[in-house]
Amino acid sequence: MATNRNEDDIRKAKIAAMGTELGALHFLLWHDLTWLHFEWEQFVALFGEDATRIDVMNSTAPRFFWSLERVLWQDILLALSRLADPVATSGQQNLTFRRLLTLLPGNGPRDATAKALDEFERRAGFAREWRHAFFAHRALDHAAEPDAHPLPHASRANVIAALEAAADLMNVVELHYEQSTTGYAQVSD
């Protein structure tokens, strides 16, 4: 049975079930992934479900809505990419799925989480390549000759697969410690 709790209750429940450090980290990742699902839901509602809505946007402010679509798309891919970042870069500690592995005990869901992380990285790898060659940096070889240096295909189906893998990873830990899971794809505002 689904329950509705506020963020503070969710954070406290995670800390009670997982301990202070792991619970706080899982909550922060839960928060980011929940908001990423909200953003994806908004992107699809605006640009992916209703041709009439797209016609209205194109007839009223085409450049603005093209820019909005591009910014939302980039933000979604960047968020997916960040979740697979290393634990630290250039001395900065990162909020990332990899950090979960550093806190999980060997007798817990560590192996299942590592396997789920591998699957997430496989499914979200396209987003990292886009980040490194186009969003965060501008790869000269790609800019000069995009056909000779193509980026991997990035589609809505790729995003959905990566979001599913991210939810699966988070739910491995949540199910082990809290005996429940989050239906990230069923988020609503």
Side-chain angles (χ1 to χ4, degrees):
M1 180 170 152
T3 59
N4 292 319
R5 302 179 291 169
N6 67 38
E7 286 190 354
D8 192 48
D9 290 341
I10 292 167
R11 182 185 58 76
K12 287 177 183 174
K14 289 185 178 305
I15 289 171
M18 299 178 196
T20 303
E21 197 172 5
L22 179 59
L25 174 65
H26 195 273
F27 171 76
L28 292 172
L29 289 165
W30 172 90
H31 183 271
D32 280 8
L33 188 56
T34 299
W35 279 102
L36 178 54
H37 275 81
F38 283 141
E39 187 171 31
W40 177 247
E41 190 177 273
Q42 293 302 305
F43 178 87
V44 171
L46 282 170
F47 303 107
E49 293 179 333
D50 185 352
T52 306
R53 181 177 294 138
I54 293 169
D55 290 342
V56 169
M57 290 186 288
N58 285 336
S59 66
T60 56
R63 287 185 186 166
F64 170 77
F65 287 109
W66 176 82
S67 291
L68 178 61
E69 182 180 19
R70 184 177 51 83
V71 166
L72 285 173
W73 181 253
Q74 287 179 5
D75 194 54
I76 290 163
L77 295 190
L78 286 169
L80 285 171
S81 179
R82 279 192 302 268
L83 289 170
D85 275 347
V87 172
T89 49
S90 301
Q92 175 179 303
Q93 299 300 304
N94 296 321
L95 177 59
T96 176
F97 287 152
R98 288 189 175 288
R99 186 169 292 284
L100 282 172
L101 293 178
T102 68
L103 298 178
L104 289 170
N107 62 350
R110 185 170 171 60
D111 290 342
T113 303
K115 185 176 178 181
L117 177 59
D118 289 344
E119 180 64 15
F120 171 74
E121 289 179 338
R122 187 182 68 74
R123 290 187 183 187
F126 77 97
R128 291 186 68 75
E129 288 192 45
W130 275 84
R131 175 174 99 170
H132 294 312
F134 197 75
F135 301 148
H137 311 283
R138 187 74 163 108
L140 180 58
D141 58 353
H142 175 74
E145 296 182 74
D147 291 336
H149 304 279
L151 293 172
H153 182 68
S155 69
R156 291 176 187 170
N158 293 130
V159 170
I160 291 167
L163 287 171
E164 288 171 353
D168 291 348
L169 186 155
M170 289 291 288
N171 282 329
V172 165
V173 177
E174 189 172 339
L175 185 60
H176 179 82
Y177 286 100
E178 297 181 83
Q179 293 75 50
S180 67
T181 59
T182 298
Y184 292 96
Q186 285 76 44
V187 296
S188 61
D189 39 18

